C-alpha cells in the first residue's frame, strides 16, 4: 500500500519519456527531410548551372565557360599578366585600388595594391617593359573633369604616373543627353600611345582618341569614329596585330586588317554573346582564342571564327 502514491509519478515519467522519444524521432525525421531537400536543392542548383552553361555553349559556337572571378569584386577589365596564362583584373568604381592576378580559371593568385584612388577604373592594358595603363576614365554622364590614365608597374605599385587628359570636342559638363559620348571603358596601348574607345550611350559610334603613354597633362587627339552599334566596354589587339576586338555588353565586334590603319577603317563583324552576362573584360589568350570576363564573375573562352 505504501507504493500506491508513487504510481501516478511513475506513469507521468513514462508518458513524458514516450513523448520525448516521439518528438525526437519526429525531429530526426524532419532534419533528415530538410537535409534531403537541401542536398536536393544543391544538386538541382548544380544541374541548373550546368544546364545554363550547356545552353550558352550551344547558343554561341566556340564559347565555353572556363571559370569564375570569385575573388574579384565587380570585375571590370582584363590584361595579360607577368607569366604565361596569368592575367590581371580589377574592380570598378567603389572598389579598392587593387590589381588581382588570376590564372586561366579565374583563381586569384596575387593582389597588388596601387597607390592611387579608384575613382572609376574601367580598363587595363599592358605596355612595354612591365608598364600597365589603368583607365580611370569611366564617365557615365560625361561630367568628369579629372579623367586620367594611370601608368604603373605592378612590381613597384607605389610609383604611379598620371596621364591627365581632356577631350578636344567637349565644352559642356555634362553635355545634353544626345551628346554624351565621353565615357571611356576601353583603352589599349599601341606604338607609344594609349588609345581610347568611347562607350556611346546611344549605341551608334565609338569615338577613337589617343594620348601619349608618358605622364603629363594632355588634350587627347581625336582620330576617327567607328560605326559600333553597341556600348564598348573593353578592347584587345591580337598578337599578330591584324585583329582588333572591341567588347560590348554581351556582344563582340571584330575589325580585321593588315595594318592598324586598315583595322580602324574595317567594317565590324558582330558576334552575339547572349547569355554570358554583362561582359566587361577581354584579352587574347592565344592568337585565335579570347578570354572574356563578366561583371557577375563569369570567365569564358571564345574561339574566334576563321
Amino acid at each position: 500500500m505504501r507504493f500506491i502514491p508513487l504510481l501516478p509519478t511513475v506513469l507521468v515519467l513514462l508518458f513524458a519519456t514516450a513523448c520525448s522519444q516521439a518528438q525526437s524521432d519526429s525531429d530526426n525525421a524532419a532534419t533528415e527531410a530538410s537535409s534531403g531537400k537541401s542536398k536536393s536543392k544543391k544538386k538541382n542548383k548544380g544541374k541548373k548551372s550546368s544546364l545554363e552553361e550547356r545552353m550558352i555553349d550551344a547558343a554561341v559556337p566556340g564559347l565555353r565557360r572556363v571559370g569564375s572571378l570569385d575573388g574579384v569584386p565587380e570585375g571590370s577589365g582584363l590584361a595579360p599578366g607577368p607569366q604565361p596564362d596569368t592575367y590581371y583584373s580589377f574592380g570598378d568604381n567603389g572598389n579598392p585600388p587593387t590589381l588581382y592576378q588570376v590564372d586561366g580559371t579565374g583563381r586569384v593568385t596575387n593582389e597588388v595594391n596601387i597607390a592611387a584612388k579608384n575613382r572609376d577604373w574601367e580598363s587595363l592594358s599592358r605596355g612595354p617593359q612591365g608598364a600597365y595603363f589603368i583607365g580611370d576614365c569611366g564617365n557615365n554622364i560625361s561630367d568628369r573633369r579629372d579623367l586620367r590614365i594611370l601608368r604603373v608597374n605592378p612590381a613597384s605599385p607605389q610609383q604611379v604616373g598620371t596621364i591627365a587628359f581632356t577631350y578636344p570636342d567637349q565644352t559642356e559638363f555634362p553635355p545634353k543627353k544626345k551628346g554624351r559620348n565621353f565615357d571611356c571603358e576601353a583603352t589599349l596601348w599601341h606604338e607609344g600611345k594609349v588609345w581610347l574607345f568611347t562607350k556611346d550611350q546611344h549605341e551608334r559610334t565609338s569615338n577613337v582618341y589617343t594620348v601619349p603613354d608618358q605622364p603629363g597633362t594632355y588634350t587627347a587627339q581625336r582620330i576617327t569614329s567607328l560605326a559600333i552599334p553597341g556600348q564598348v566596354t573593353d578592347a584587345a589587339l591580337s598578337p599578330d596585330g591584324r585583329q582588333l576586338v572591341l567588347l560590348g555588353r554581351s556582344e563582340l565586334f571584330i575589325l580585321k586588317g593588315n595594318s592598324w590603319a586598315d583595322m580602324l577603317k574595317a567594317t565590324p563583324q558582330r558576334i552575339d554573346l547572349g547569355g554570358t552576362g554583362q561582359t566587361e573584360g577581354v584579352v587574347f589568350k592565344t592568337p585565335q582564342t579570347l578570354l572574356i570576363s563578366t561583371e557577375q564573375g563569369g570567365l569564358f573562352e571564345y574561339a574566334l571564327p576563321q
Side-chain angles (χ1 to χ4, degrees):
M1 296 297 293
R2 285 179 296 175
F3 295 100
I4 292 176
L6 296 177
L7 185 58
T9 302
V10 173
L11 290 175
V12 169
L13 289 174
L14 290 173
F15 181 75
T17 301
C19 289
S20 175
Q21 183 62 43
Q23 180 63 42
S24 176
D25 292 343
S26 176
D27 290 344
N28 289 337
T31 299
E32 290 176 2
S34 176
S35 176
K37 289 180 180 178
S38 177
K39 291 179 180 179
S40 177
K41 284 182 179 179
K42 289 181 180 179
K43 188 175 181 180
N44 288 337
K45 183 178 179 182
K47 287 183 177 180
K48 181 179 179 183
S49 177
S50 178
L51 177 60
E52 288 175 352
E53 290 173 11
R54 291 200 301 271
M55 289 176 67
I56 292 172
D57 293 349
V60 185
L63 183 73
R64 69 185 185 96
R65 183 159 184 158
V66 293
S68 298
L69 293 172
D70 292 336
V72 182
E74 297 179 291
S76 190
L78 281 176
Q83 293 90 30
D85 201 31
T86 67
Y87 308 90
Y88 279 123
S89 187
F90 58 91
D92 63 8
N93 182 25
N95 287 293
T98 302
L99 294 182
Y100 299 89
Q101 185 175 331
V102 302
D103 63 17
T105 66
R107 182 176 63 91
V108 175
T109 59
N110 190 28
E111 296 183 13
V112 181
N113 295 317
I114 306 299
K117 185 177 180 180
N118 182 346
R119 293 172 184 168
D120 196 356
W121 292 8
E122 291 289 354
S123 63
L124 180 68
S125 58
R126 185 172 67 178
Q129 300 176 341
Y132 283 80
F133 298 87
I134 302 171
D136 189 354
C137 42
N139 192 19
N140 276 328
I141 61 174
S142 297
D143 64 342
R144 282 185 63 179
R145 295 175 182 265
D146 58 352
L147 302 171
R148 59 185 188 161
I149 306 293
L150 303 176
R151 178 175 175 140
V152 301
N153 186 327
S156 305
Q158 298 302 310
Q159 300 176 14
V160 180
T162 299
I163 303 168
F165 70 93
T166 56
Y167 292 105
D169 44 350
Q170 182 172 12
T171 58
E172 297 178 292
F173 298 85
K176 295 178 180 178
K177 288 186 178 181
K178 64 180 181 180
R180 294 181 184 178
N181 195 0
F182 299 102
D183 181 20
C184 179
E185 297 189 7
T187 60
L188 183 67
W189 182 90
H190 181 62
E191 295 183 344
K193 298 178 182 179
V194 180
W195 294 72
L196 299 90
F197 302 85
T198 65
K199 184 181 81 172
D200 185 2
Q201 301 291 340
H202 301 285
E203 302 186 2
R204 294 187 301 250
T205 60
S206 176
N207 294 330
V208 184
Y209 300 84
T210 64
V211 293
D213 67 357
Q214 299 300 315
T217 300
Y218 306 95
T219 298
Q221 181 181 1
R222 180 166 173 166
I223 304 301
T224 189
S225 291
L226 304 176
I228 302 292
Q231 297 184 10
V232 176
T233 59
D234 204 5
L237 181 64
S238 63
D240 65 4
R242 294 188 177 186
Q243 294 189 88
L244 170 62
V245 167
L246 299 179
L247 187 67
R249 291 174 180 259
S250 299
E251 59 187 345
L252 194 66
F253 301 93
I254 304 171
L255 297 89
K256 297 182 180 181
N258 292 323
S259 68
W260 181 253
D262 287 345
M263 285 183 283
L264 294 182
K265 296 176 183 177
T267 300
Q269 176 186 359
R270 181 183 179 277
I271 305 293
D272 185 3
L273 301 177
T276 54
Q278 184 172 314
T279 45
E280 292 278 346
V282 63
V283 65
F284 274 86
K285 186 172 184 177
T286 71
Q288 282 298 127
T289 306
L290 299 175
L291 194 65
I292 298 172
S293 65
T294 72
E295 190 173 80
Q296 294 77 23
L299 194 63
F300 298 84
E301 272 188 11
Y302 178 65
L304 290 165
Q306 298 294 327

